Amino acid sequence: QVQLVESGGGLVQAGGSLRLSCAASTRTFSSYAVAWFRQAPGKERELVSAISGGGANIYYVDSVKGRFTISRDNAKNTVYLQMNSLKPEDTAIYYCAADYYSGLQFDQSSYDYWGQGTQVTVSS
């Protein structure tokens, strides 16, 4: 069983930045693909970004390209999501998820492990 703990959410003004962290409780972290999903009130959960186990393959949804950067430090069992130029429409609960498969995964049903979520609120 892998536990994921997100941190770094908060309230920020439009144009500001936040860095989310997702810490995992596994010694084989490089074997896991990790993704960030978000869910805004009244909307379905969507994939924001994903990174393969080794970090070579990365995906971003179009709405965050050029603003968000995903990265991972396998020595620290942690994945990061650097969010710059935040917009009010980025407001959501952000979840990290992990799957024991080192390649990219795009479907949320592929992810077996989920964090509790962290709230990101961007004011206009």
Side-chain angles (χ1 to χ4, degrees):
Q1 190 76 3
V2 176
Q3 293 186 334
L4 302 174
V5 179
E6 302 104 331
S7 61
L11 173 64
V12 64
Q13 289 188 336
S17 298
L18 286 173
R19 188 176 81 156
L20 305 183
S21 298
C22 173
S25 65
T26 174
R27 296 182 179 180
T28 58
F29 190 55
S30 62
S31 297
Y32 289 80
V34 177
W36 288 96
F37 290 83
R38 66 185 179 187
Q39 187 165 22
K43 295 187 177 181
E44 294 186 353
R45 188 161 53 187
E46 68 167 345
L47 174 62
V48 176
S49 182
I51 187 167
S52 58
N57 297 306
I58 287 174
Y59 165 84
Y60 298 102
V61 69
D62 285 347
S63 60
V64 307
K65 285 180 180 177
R67 300 188 299 121
F68 290 11
T69 302
I70 192 170
S71 62
R72 65 189 298 157
D73 184 341
N74 286 339
K76 295 183 178 180
N77 293 347
T78 302
V79 168
Y80 305 97
L81 186 68
Q82 178 67 43
M83 305 186 296
N84 299 328
S85 302
L86 282 161
K87 304 175 181 180
E89 51 263 43
D90 294 318
T91 295
I93 299 175
Y94 283 70
Y95 300 90
C96 71
D99 177 60
Y100 188 71
Y101 172 68
S102 60
L104 282 183
Q105 300 281 42
F106 301 98
D107 189 338
Q108 58 182 301
S109 66
S110 299
Y111 290 88
D112 296 321
Y113 306 103
W114 291 80
Q116 80 287 351
T118 186
Q119 177 70 48
V120 171
T121 303
V122 184
S123 63
S124 57

